[in-house]
Amino acid sequence: MFTRMNSPTYDERSLSTPRTLNCCQSLGQWLNIGAIGILSAVSAMLFIQLQAVSLRVSSNQSQINALKSQIESSANEIEVQVEKQRDFTVINMAGTFTLLSCLITMFHMTAHLRKMNQPFVQRKIIAILWMSPVYALTSFLSLTLPSGEPYLAIVKDFYESYVIYQFLSFLIAVLGRGDRNAVVMKLVRHAGHLKPPYKCLNCLFHPPPQESDEALANAVLLECQVLAMQFVFFRPATAILRFILEAGGSSGGGDNGDDNQWAYFYSPQFFVMMVQNVSVFLAFGGLLKFYHAVRDDLSWCQPFAKFLTIKGVVFMTFWQGLVINVIFHANENNADNESDDDATMSDSTSSTFTSASSIQNILICMEMLFFSVAHWCVFPAEEWEDGYKARVMSSPGFGFQDFASDVNLIIDSGKRSMQARREEKLRKSDDCATVDDFDGATQATAPSYLSTSVINGVEDELDVNESFV
């Protein structure tokens, strides 16, 4: 063993093995270092590229967001411009109808001013004719100046009540030709049909209505005037009170709870509405009482048609506004079931003139044009000229009645022609029978010495007469 260890072969092998291991270890270390360096370089490059991509993506995202916001702002601006254009179109349309209504009414008024034959009557007519321009102008100004709509509504309500009283004054002026005593005397003739006035108004009557028919007629006339006049004062007062209540925050309703669903019926607005309705009932009661008493004396001027053109404005606008409010409240209840986002979007894109009051004002502006034309027809200036005769307006149609009369004329002509031909045939048949009878009698009574030529001559003469007939 000692000899093997001291042998040269053993020493070389023992010395070369550690060197080889060292070389392998150093090589492995360098390889590891190189691999780590390469991986680090690759990782650094990937990180740099990733950062560059992320920067590029963030830059593109910011551009996308900027472009998106720009598109949204442009879309909003376009929607706003469209809504403004639509609102401008609505204002133009309402203004056009208002202008036409005012022009027609002004021309109608100038016709009465040029032919002021009965000033005590035509002054009342001119006051009534102002109704269409007042309604149209207040509605148009409510569209252009929404903040002034409550004040304009007060003006509208006041003139409505004033026109009702002016119509009663118009009937009194027509009946008495400006003389109140003449109206009383005409009422005296209908004293048997007059209802006694309200007892609560007895303090206004002198002499008392129980004294005579003339006193009763005077009391009834004064009662009708009082009942119509109170509406002139109560209607603006209730309109002002209602405006004050709404401005003070009293909406007339309760909370959203079920316990307060009947809150409106004990709110101040409900009592104001009840007072207003009672006032309207009394005013029209007095007006109808006077009309029923003297309708025969006023039939020549068609007072009922005039009354319809006046009260038609009031009733039509009232019920129209009521229907529009009901529809809008139903839509609001349906909108409550939708999401808040949808409601916000609808609010942001809604037009200025999509509220119930705005639509009501637009319709009034359009309708006053037709009422101004109706006033032109039922309040003609020629009606108050001397010797005026009421003209009967023929109803419009398609001319079917004239066409039917022409058809009947042709049918009757055909019937008469057929009857004439039938009578002609009957007459010819009678003539032929007469000729035959004459021939038979001639042959029976003719002497034998008459020649056949004579008989033939008679037959020829009869043929000529028959042909002539």
Side-chain angles (χ1 to χ4, degrees), residues 450-458:
L450 289 177
S451 62
T452 306
S453 61
V454 175
I455 295 173
N456 293 332
V458 173

Side-chain angles (χ1 to χ4, degrees), residues 113-185:
L113 292 175
R114 288 195 306 266
K115 301 177 181 179
M116 188 67 71
N117 299 309
Q118 299 182 23
F120 47 86
V121 176
Q122 291 178 278
R123 285 198 302 266
K124 309 295 190 301
I125 294 176
I126 292 175
I128 293 171
L129 294 180
W130 276 106
M131 189 176 193
S132 294
V134 168
Y135 264 74
L137 287 173
T138 52
S139 299
F140 179 73
L141 292 176
S142 298
L143 291 173
T144 56
L145 301 172
S147 60
E149 183 176 1
Y151 307 99
L152 295 171
I154 295 174
V155 175
K156 188 188 302 181
D157 292 340
F158 167 74
Y159 205 80
E160 172 195 340
S161 59
Y162 179 70
V163 166
I164 298 300
Y165 180 77
Q166 284 297 323
F167 183 70
L168 178 62
S169 299
F170 163 75
L171 297 180
I172 295 172
V174 171
L175 192 62
R177 300 295 177 179
D179 186 5
R180 179 184 174 84
N181 294 326
V183 180
V184 173
M185 296 310 297

Side-chain angles (χ1 to χ4, degrees), residues 35 50 53 101 122 129 158 176 226 259 266 274 302 336 358 383 405 413:
L50 182 62
V53 170
S101 176
Q122 291 178 278
L129 294 180
F158 167 74
V226 170
D259 296 336
Y266 51 83
M274 293 301 297
Q302 299 177 348
D336 290 339
S358 298
E383 191 175 17
S405 64
S413 178

Side-chain angles (χ1 to χ4, degrees), residues 9 59 145 159 165 278 357 372 379 438 453-454:
T9 304
S59 177
L145 301 172
Y159 205 80
Y165 180 77
V278 171
S357 59
S372 61
F379 289 102
F438 180 76
S453 61
V454 175

Side-chain angles (χ1 to χ4, degrees), residues 137-342:
L137 287 173
T138 52
S139 299
F140 179 73
L141 292 176
S142 298
L143 291 173
T144 56
L145 301 172
S147 60
E149 183 176 1
Y151 307 99
L152 295 171
I154 295 174
V155 175
K156 188 188 302 181
D157 292 340
F158 167 74
Y159 205 80
E160 172 195 340
S161 59
Y162 179 70
V163 166
I164 298 300
Y165 180 77
Q166 284 297 323
F167 183 70
L168 178 62
S169 299
F170 163 75
L171 297 180
I172 295 172
V174 171
L175 192 62
R177 300 295 177 179
D179 186 5
R180 179 184 174 84
N181 294 326
V183 180
V184 173
M185 296 310 297
K186 289 186 178 181
L187 287 174
V188 169
R189 292 183 299 183
H190 305 281
H193 303 284
L194 294 178
K195 294 182 180 180
Y198 294 115
K199 294 182 179 180
C200 59
L201 300 176
N202 286 337
C203 60
L204 302 175
F205 305 142
H206 181 76
Q210 297 82 8
E211 287 189 2
S212 62
D213 291 342
E214 185 176 354
L216 176 61
N218 184 38
V220 169
L221 179 59
L222 186 61
E223 177 197 23
C224 295
Q225 288 180 305
V226 170
L227 292 178
M229 190 176 292
Q230 57 83 26
F231 186 52
V232 180
F233 296 102
F234 272 99
R235 184 58 186 270
T238 54
I240 294 172
L241 183 59
R242 187 174 56 199
F243 170 70
I244 293 174
L245 292 174
E246 291 178 355
S250 178
S251 61
D255 299 332
N256 294 327
D258 295 333
D259 296 336
N260 294 323
Q261 62 181 349
W262 304 105
Y264 175 75
F265 295 98
Y266 51 83
S267 64
Q269 280 82 357
F270 178 75
F271 291 103
V272 170
M273 185 189 68
M274 293 301 297
V275 171
Q276 182 175 336
N277 289 334
V278 171
S279 178
V280 171
F281 174 77
L282 293 175
F284 280 94
L287 187 60
L288 292 176
K289 185 175 183 179
F290 181 79
Y291 170 73
H292 285 299
V294 297
R295 60 182 175 182
D296 294 333
D297 299 323
L298 294 172
S299 60
W300 66 272
C301 67
Q302 299 177 348
F304 188 70
K306 293 177 171 61
F307 174 74
L308 287 181
T309 58
I310 294 172
K311 198 54 190 173
V313 177
V314 180
F315 271 101
M316 189 173 185
T317 53
F318 173 77
W319 291 108
Q320 177 179 273
L322 182 62
V323 170
I324 292 174
N325 284 324
V326 169
I327 294 174
F328 265 78
H329 281 104
N331 291 333
E332 287 178 358
N333 292 331
N334 293 330
D336 290 339
N337 297 326
E338 297 179 356
S339 62
D340 295 336
D341 295 336
D342 295 337

